[in-house]
Amino acid sequence: MPDAPRVTVTVHGPDPQSRAGVVRHLRHQPTVQLIDRPRPFSDEPRGTVAVMSVERLDARAGAELRRLVRGGEQRVVLITGELRETELMAVMEYGVRAVLWQHRATPRRLLRAVHRAARAERTDPCGVDHRLTEHFVY
């Protein structure tokens, strides 16, 4: 993505190791301006892409995810290890732009998801039956 514009990215999630892995993947990307230390949500620049990494979408992670997408100021990429069908439907209704499975979240896929989110494109989660997502507008 050499011609892609720079995207401002913040990294969120309850697990410091997962956050550090995401930061490590994005830190040296020329098309990413990484904000290592997320600001209060109201101070984030408009159009910022928030990458949230969680093993599973429990109550705490769900509350943080809802805060991130509230108001539509940030575009969210969710990296998760586990997501039930009802949770997938919920994150899509929240406005999450992309879901990446942890075991398939390569640096290239992550970068592509960040840029698609920045352009306000929605993508189907890899490995998800399209019948679950076909009624959403992408």
Side-chain angles (χ1 to χ4, degrees), residues 90-104:
V91 300
M92 293 183 83
E93 288 174 7
Y94 293 161
V96 170
R97 296 291 173 176
V99 176
L100 299 174
W101 305 122
Q102 285 176 341
H103 69 280
R104 298 185 71 185

Side-chain angles (χ1 to χ4, degrees), residues 47-116:
T48 297
V49 174
V51 177
M52 184 171 173
S53 180
V54 296
E55 177 59 36
R56 60 187 203 70
L57 198 63
D58 58 15
R60 179 178 169 203
E64 185 173 353
L65 183 61
R66 284 188 299 278
R67 279 193 303 274
L68 286 171
V69 297
R70 187 174 294 136
E73 296 294 316
Q74 295 189 86
R75 297 170 179 144
V76 178
V77 173
L78 177 65
I79 302 172
T80 185
E82 174 184 325
L83 204 59
R84 295 184 302 238
E85 182 178 331
T86 56
E87 294 165 336
L88 173 62
M89 300 306 264
V91 300
M92 293 183 83
E93 288 174 7
Y94 293 161
V96 170
R97 296 291 173 176
V99 176
L100 299 174
W101 305 122
Q102 285 176 341
H103 69 280
R104 298 185 71 185
T106 64
R108 183 179 177 154
R109 284 185 175 144
L110 176 57
L111 185 61
R112 187 175 25 197
V114 164
H115 280 280
R116 284 182 176 167

